């Protein structure tokens, strides 16, 4: 884990080294000043030597200025190193997430990834800054102050040693109790973020069903869990301050009492006593700072593990050593394909799938919910890998292609496809960033999207809100189809992507495909038989298996499932799942 996180320091190594160096320099200057104060009192004030007071006073000013400079530079470089480290962590996580396959993404929740990129990185940033500054400053300050105290008077300095040992044991006990609560707290942020994300994304449903009160109580519960855990942790930490004050004041009383006796006995000077009192505060405050560093590090350990988990997760889909960059055509072949989302576990989602599709064919795929239609087409663009068998595109196994090139040649339009915030043109150019406005208009004409775009005030410069919230479901689907067409793919997959489109527009889209992109292989997943009946062939899926393949007329004669669904849809408006349920 430390190696994984440490690799993200990168260009901020110099700042990370400079910070503790300046911190140590600041400590040295702080430790020299009490000695100078002792010299001023003993050799200047008591001896009546004004010149010595001036000289030592000047040196004290120089030491203070050097310490001030070192402190400022330590703060500057510490901030630069920690914020840069946090920036690199976010960037590395985001870049690694982009390489994930669908199966990798399935391991993490959206809320969990958001928490890792925000709260967890912030925790680690704060801890890193504390380590660079306080973790060097506090031990150095304590060690140097202890050494100086023993140089002045070993008998009185032993009071500090006993106090440090006792206080260290007490602080360790307190921190160990608090650390277990911090480890429990940060994963709870996932629940909080999930509650917010779900509520905001589904706010229309919440308001439609008047469930604001329920959502508020759910958020309060998630927020309350974090509150309760942090209260328990902070309750333990609250003992730090009184314990520290008790120790400091006890040491001051003991040193003042014993020191006064020694001054009377001429074994200690007034200046030395002043220096010892100053070192007392330095030593014990250093221990307090160390305890705070321990708290921060403890808090960040859970975050560090969660971040490392994202960084160490590697895509289970890799390019071959010598990938093929040429996809000859849009032919597709499934050869004894079996597929499970979790390899070797549970029932296969797809079982012994065998069929071939010629380049340029239009293939309809129909089946009930859960019949694995989407799983089938996901294998074509290698969003998942088969468990056994092979999927071939252009006569070559999809695993032999460069993944980026393969996915450029296979356009998938999902039923719940996403539009991004920006103009219509900007959304369309996701398909081809160099597409001209004329090419975008042509793609929209093929997808029948030009009908509603032309009625908009700003036409193709109309701004689309995040997720396409200011367009209807059917309009969103047509824009997504147009976006996919701009890629000029060899294979076009429409995964129930005309479900929100009326039948007349659906027919226009299919006619445009037939006339304008005859060389593109088209796979149309649908629940309505009217959407696929004109296809060259139709594949009927049932429970992860191919139940039948043929034309509309052939399946009406030979396939019972297809015939039943056709009759229910033409005779009474039933859909596929409803009829299959009755059967």
């Amino acid at each position: 884990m430390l190696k994984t996180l440490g690799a993200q320091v990168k260009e901020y190594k110099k700042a990370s080294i400079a910070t503790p160096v300046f911190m140590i320099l600041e400590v040295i200057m702080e430790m020299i000043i009490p000695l100078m104060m002792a010299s001023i009192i003993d050799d200047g004030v008591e001896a009546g030597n004004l010149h010595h007071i001036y000289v030592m006073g000047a040196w004290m000013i120089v030491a203070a200025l050097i310490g001030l400079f070192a402190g400022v530079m330590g703060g500057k470089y510490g901030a630069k190193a920690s914020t840069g480290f946090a920036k690199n962590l976010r960037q590395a996580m985001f870049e690694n997430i982009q390489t994930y396959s669908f199966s990798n993404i399935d391991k993490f929740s959206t809320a969990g990834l958001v928490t890792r990129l925000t709260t967890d990185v912030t925790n680690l940033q704060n801890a890193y800054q504390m380590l660079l500054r306080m973790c060097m400053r506090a031990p150095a300050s304590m060690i140097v102050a202890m050494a100086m105290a023993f140089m002045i008077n070993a008998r009185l300095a032993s009071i500090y040693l006993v106090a440090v040992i006792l206080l260290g044991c007490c602080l360790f006990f307190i921190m160990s109790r608090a650390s277990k609560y911090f480890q429990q707290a940060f994963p709870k942020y996932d629940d909080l973020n999930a509650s917010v994300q779900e509520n905001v994304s589904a706010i229309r449903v919440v308001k439609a069903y008047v469930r604001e009160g329920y959502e508020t109580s759910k958020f309060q519960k998630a927020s309350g869990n974090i509150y309760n855990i942090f209260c328990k942790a902070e309750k333990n930490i609250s003992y730090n301050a009184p314990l520290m004050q008790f120790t400091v004041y006890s040491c001051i009383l003991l040193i003042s009492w014993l020191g006064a006796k020694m001054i009377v006995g001429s074994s200690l000077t007034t200046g030395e006593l002043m220096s010892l009192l100053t070192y007392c505060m330095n030593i014990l405050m250093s221990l307090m700072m160390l305890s705070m560093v321990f708290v921060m590090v403890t808090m960040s350990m859970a975050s560090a593990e969660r971040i490392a988990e994202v960084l160490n997760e590697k895509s289970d889909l890799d390019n071959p050593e010598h990938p093929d960059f040429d996809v000859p055509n849009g032919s597709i072949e499934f050869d004894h394909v079996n597929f499970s989302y979790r390899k070797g576990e549970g029932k296969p989602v797809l079982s012994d799938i065998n069929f071939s599709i010629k380049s340029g064919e239009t293939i309809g795929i129909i089946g009930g919910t859960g019949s694995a239609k989407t799983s089938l087409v996901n294998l074509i663009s290698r969003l998942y890998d088969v468990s056994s068998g092979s999927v071939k595109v252009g006569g070559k196994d999809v695993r032999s292609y460069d993944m980026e090139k393969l996915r450029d040649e296979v356009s998938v339009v999902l039923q719940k496809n996403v539009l991004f915030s920006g103009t219509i043109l900007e959304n369309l150019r996701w398909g081809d960033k160099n597409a001209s406005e004329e090419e975008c208009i042509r793609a929209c004409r093929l997808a029948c999207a030009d009908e509603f775009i032309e009625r908009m005030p700003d036409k193709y410069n109309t701004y689309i809100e995040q997720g396409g919230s200011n367009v209807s479901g059917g309009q969103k689907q047509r824009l997504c189809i147009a976006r996919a067409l701009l890629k000029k793919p060899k294979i076009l997959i429409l995964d129930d992507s005309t479900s929100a489109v009326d039948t007349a527009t659906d027919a226009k889209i299919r006619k445009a495909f037939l006339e304008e992109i005859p060389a593109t292989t088209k796979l149309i997943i649908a629940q309505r038989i009217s959407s696929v009946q004109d296809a060259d062939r139709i594949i009927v899926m049932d429970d992860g298996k191919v139940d039948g393949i043929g034309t509309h007329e052939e399946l009406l004669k030979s396939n019972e499932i297809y015939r039943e669904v056709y009759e229910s849809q033409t005779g009474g408006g039933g859909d596929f799942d409803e009829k299959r349920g009755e059967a």
Side-chain angles (χ1 to χ4, degrees):
M1 181 182 74
L2 292 177
K3 185 178 179 181
T4 301
L5 299 177
Q8 300 308 318
V9 176
K10 295 180 180 177
E11 69 270 29
Y12 297 99
K13 286 180 181 177
K14 289 182 179 178
S16 298
I17 294 170
T19 302
V21 170
F22 279 114
M23 289 294 100
I24 291 172
L25 178 60
E26 183 187 20
V27 167
I28 292 171
M29 293 301 105
E30 285 182 359
M31 296 303 109
I32 289 174
I33 288 174
L35 289 178
M36 293 179 178
M37 287 174 61
S39 179
I40 287 174
I41 293 170
D42 294 337
D43 302 326
V45 176
E46 292 187 355
N49 189 342
L50 193 61
H51 175 72
H52 183 78
I53 295 172
Y54 286 147
V55 171
M56 293 309 296
W59 280 113
M60 281 181 69
I61 292 172
V62 171
L65 289 174
I66 294 173
L68 176 63
F69 172 76
V72 170
M73 296 305 291
K76 174 186 172 182
Y77 284 111
K80 182 179 179 180
S82 60
T83 53
F85 177 53
K87 181 203 73 173
N88 287 345
L89 281 177
R90 291 191 189 96
Q91 186 70 24
M93 279 196 289
F94 189 80
E95 288 177 357
N96 200 43
I97 290 168
Q98 302 309 302
T99 69
Y100 285 178
S101 68
F102 280 16
S103 57
N104 293 119
I105 292 172
D106 292 341
K107 296 179 183 178
F108 301 96
S109 67
T110 303
L113 290 174
V114 170
T115 305
R116 286 167 167 84
L117 283 162
T118 52
T119 306
D120 287 330
V121 170
T122 301
N123 290 336
L124 213 56
Q125 174 184 336
N126 294 334
Y128 189 62
Q129 186 168 20
M130 289 281 280
L131 284 171
L132 291 179
R133 297 184 66 188
M134 299 305 171
C135 207
M136 291 301 296
R137 190 186 193 286
S141 179
M142 186 168 65
I143 291 168
V144 174
M146 190 76 76
M148 293 287 191
F150 271 92
M151 282 174 57
I152 293 170
N153 191 293
R155 183 181 170 190
L156 286 178
S158 61
I159 295 173
Y160 299 150
L161 188 61
V162 173
V164 165
I165 293 171
L166 291 176
L167 190 58
C169 292
C170 293
L171 290 178
F172 178 79
F173 176 72
I174 291 170
M175 292 302 106
S176 62
R177 283 178 59 87
S179 64
K180 66 178 182 180
Y181 294 115
F182 286 123
Q183 289 172 351
Q184 296 170 14
F186 293 107
K188 295 293 181 183
Y189 278 107
D190 289 355
D191 298 333
L192 188 72
N193 285 340
S195 177
V196 174
Q197 180 196 5
E198 188 176 49
N199 179 266
V200 173
S201 61
I203 192 66
R204 288 169 176 79
V205 178
V206 172
K207 290 189 175 297
Y209 285 88
V210 197
R211 298 286 282 176
E212 293 91 342
Y214 172 75
E215 288 295 315
T216 301
S217 64
K218 191 165 70 171
F219 179 85
Q220 286 176 340
K221 182 179 179 182
S223 181
N225 287 336
I226 296 174
Y227 167 78
N228 291 332
I229 292 174
F230 269 108
C231 276
K232 290 176 182 176
E234 296 295 340
K235 184 179 178 181
N236 283 279
I237 293 174
S238 65
Y239 291 108
N240 266 13
L243 185 63
M244 182 64 66
Q245 287 178 351
F246 174 78
T247 307
V248 168
Y249 293 136
S250 296
C251 287
I252 290 173
L253 284 172
L254 283 171
I255 290 168
S256 298
W257 180 49
L258 295 174
K261 285 188 173 183
M262 289 181 175
I263 290 172
V264 172
S266 301
S267 58
L268 187 72
T269 67
T270 306
E272 288 173 339
L273 178 61
M274 291 289 293
S275 298
L276 284 170
L277 290 172
T278 304
Y279 289 135
C280 171
M281 296 300 293
N282 282 326
I283 291 168
L284 298 178
M285 285 303 105
S286 297
L287 200 58
M288 174 64 96
M289 282 191 286
L290 277 177
S291 71
M292 290 299 102
V293 170
F294 185 74
V295 170
M296 187 60 71
V297 170
T298 301
M299 288 171 62
S300 66
M301 281 303 294
S303 295
E305 289 171 2
R306 285 154 57 83
I307 291 170
E309 189 180 2
V310 175
L311 291 173
N312 289 329
E313 181 73 20
K314 300 302 177 187
S315 174
D316 53 13
L317 299 181
D318 295 317
N319 270 341
E321 189 174 346
H322 302 290
D324 197 330
F325 289 89
D326 178 42
V327 182
N329 55 57
S331 64
I332 303 168
E333 181 183 350
F334 278 70
D335 183 14
H336 296 285
V337 168
N338 292 288
F339 170 69
S340 296
Y341 284 104
R342 293 184 178 181
K343 294 181 180 180
E345 295 182 26
K347 181 182 176 182
V349 178
L350 292 169
S351 302
D352 197 29
I353 305 297
N354 283 287
F355 63 80
S356 60
I357 300 169
K358 297 176 184 177
S359 183
E361 270 193 300
T362 298
I363 303 295
I365 302 175
I366 199 165
T369 302
S371 59
K373 304 185 296 297
T374 299
S375 299
L376 180 80
V377 297
N378 280 342
L379 300 178
I380 297 171
S381 55
R382 207 187 168 200
L383 297 176
Y384 293 96
D385 267 345
V386 298
S387 301
S388 63
S390 65
V391 177
K392 296 177 182 177
V393 170
K396 304 173 187 176
D397 195 311
V398 293
R399 290 169 289 193
S400 69
Y401 287 114
D402 174 75
M403 282 191 290
E404 186 176 338
K405 181 62 178 176
L406 174 66
R407 290 171 186 172
D408 268 343
E409 298 292 356
V410 181
S411 274
V412 183
V413 185
L414 304 173
Q415 181 182 5
K416 294 182 179 178
N417 228 315
V418 176
L419 293 175
F420 298 88
S421 53
T423 65
I424 289 176
L425 279 176
E426 288 170 347
N427 270 278
L428 292 172
R429 283 174 177 148
W430 272 69
D432 180 1
K433 62 182 178 181
N434 298 316
S436 66
E437 188 169 344
E438 289 72 25
E439 289 175 311
C440 293
I441 292 172
R442 181 179 180 275
C444 288
R445 193 175 295 120
L446 287 175
C448 295
D450 60 323
E451 300 173 358
F452 67 87
I453 294 174
E454 293 295 337
R455 294 196 299 268
M456 292 179 170
D458 297 323
K459 294 183 171 52
Y460 287 86
N461 291 312
T462 299
Y463 190 83
I464 300 294
E465 301 292 343
Q466 184 179 5
S469 59
N470 59 333
V471 291
S472 71
Q475 291 171 341
K476 188 190 299 185
Q477 286 186 339
R478 282 181 276 175
L479 285 172
C480 291
I481 293 171
R483 181 174 64 188
L485 290 172
L486 275 174
K487 289 179 71 174
K488 301 179 181 67
K490 288 186 169 69
I491 298 171
L492 176 64
I493 299 171
L494 304 179
D495 186 358
D496 212 6
S497 55
T498 57
S499 59
V501 174
D502 61 86
T503 52
T505 304
D506 186 12
K508 287 181 185 178
I509 293 172
R510 286 185 282 110
K511 183 181 178 183
F513 286 172
L514 183 65
E515 295 173 352
E516 300 290 337
I517 50 171
T520 299
T521 305
K522 297 166 282 292
L523 278 68
I524 303 171
I525 296 176
Q527 292 286 345
R528 296 186 304 220
I529 284 184
S530 62
S531 297
V532 298
Q533 65 181 16
D534 294 329
D536 296 318
R537 284 183 295 160
I538 301 167
I539 299 173
V540 180
M541 297 291 298
D542 184 44
D543 195 27
K545 298 177 182 177
V546 175
D547 191 74
I549 301 178
T551 63
H552 173 68
E553 290 75 16
E554 289 171 348
L555 289 173
L556 282 176
K557 295 175 183 177
S558 63
N559 190 273
E560 183 180 352
I561 294 175
Y562 188 84
R563 186 169 57 251
E564 286 178 354
V565 176
Y566 175 76
E567 289 171 354
S568 68
Q569 291 187 1
T570 56
D575 66 14
F576 190 98
D577 289 320
E578 184 178 320
K579 190 62 186 176
R580 289 296 298 150
E582 293 172 2

